[in-house]
Amino acid sequence: MLDSTRIPDSMRAAVIRRERYGEPDGAFLIERVPVPVVGPGQVLLEVMAAGVNYNGIWAARGEPVDVIAARTRRGATETYHTAGSDAAGIVRAVGPGVTRVAIGDEVVVSCGQYPARAGNEAVDAMSTASAEIWGYETNHGAFAEYSLVYEYQCHAKPASLSWEQAACFLLTAATAYHQLRGWPPHVVEAGDPVLIWGGAGGLGSAAIQIVRHFGGLPVAVVSSDARAEYCRQLGAVVLNRRGFGHWGPPPDPREKAAWESWMSEVRRFGIAIWDVLGARRAPRIVLEHPGSDTMATSLYVCASDGMVVTCGATSGYTVSVDVRFLWMRQKRLQGSHFASIAECDALMDLVASRAVKPCLARIFEFDEIGYAHRLMAANDHPPGNVVIRIGLGSHSPHR
């Protein structure tokens, strides 16, 4: 079914091609490409605004995965990639079998796609072998005038949010929600200290608020005084990682001097956590995503019988840890990937009730997509979430 408004055959999209792989400001280019065809269970979205996430940087670089080549091996014929895994917009067309959304609905899009489904019901877990991230592993993402999603990805846009606010938060906030609430018995509860790396980023700013909502004690790790103040305003106590020099993998314990020096710094970091909490308490949950630089430290400072839960590796995918701290203290190292549909719904309820704020930091225009990703790659973007204005309906007094 199509909207009475004529949908064009082509559209503007910020696309990536293999011959342009590299840093984002050279990889993204606005081109005219075909409007995607709506299939069973799918929705054509007119995109009003789109959020910027780190997977757009990976897509632009073609590393660690060449997403175009990966889809080509599965039979895709498109030679370009339209990135973007957060969006808010208006439903303009629906495919056969769509019943939960209608043309004209204003929606926020979640990024989990679950192709293995019974009829129109998505398998409700990112752990299924067929699960993919829309706009990264799949094409037709948010950085275009029209995008193609499944109806189960669509959540009602809270009326209190501008288009830009609605588009900026769901990927990071739902990921944080899954990390903090999706792995029983290690779910954040009243009084639990939680260490949050990158506290001023999109993931971190959501995690601080979620921890606070459930009565936990967020400890945010940041890299500057400005970011520290931002996290304090959200309700966290703060550590500045610039005051420590041990980041990266631990040295070989047989290299005694290097090992003792590294351990001294790790212990000092753990004591600093006690100091900001005002009690000798280790984090019951450590919310990880830097990877190589921080994993060994996370595993050490985590409480006995606690959990380190990771959703990424922005500083590197290969990590080295001393597993004695894992087995002898019976700690849990848990991987976590985005969120289920039910968790997205729960997170949207928190946002609609204003218990969690989108934390919109800066709005860029459509032709600034590459520049916005370059700032994120250099960690030079402002604290919070970054969004791209795309549709004509995205003009907002909230800018």
Side-chain angles (χ1 to χ4, degrees), residues 177-184 186-187 332 343:
Y177 189 96
H178 185 44
Q179 287 183 274
L180 293 165
R181 298 291 294 174
W183 303 106
H186 293 94
V187 295
R332 177 179 182 179
E343 287 167 330

Side-chain angles (χ1 to χ4, degrees), residues 258-271:
W259 171 256
E260 290 181 351
S261 175
W262 190 87
M263 282 300 303
S264 175
E265 280 292 274
V266 174
R267 291 190 188 101
R268 190 166 69 87
F269 185 76
I271 292 169

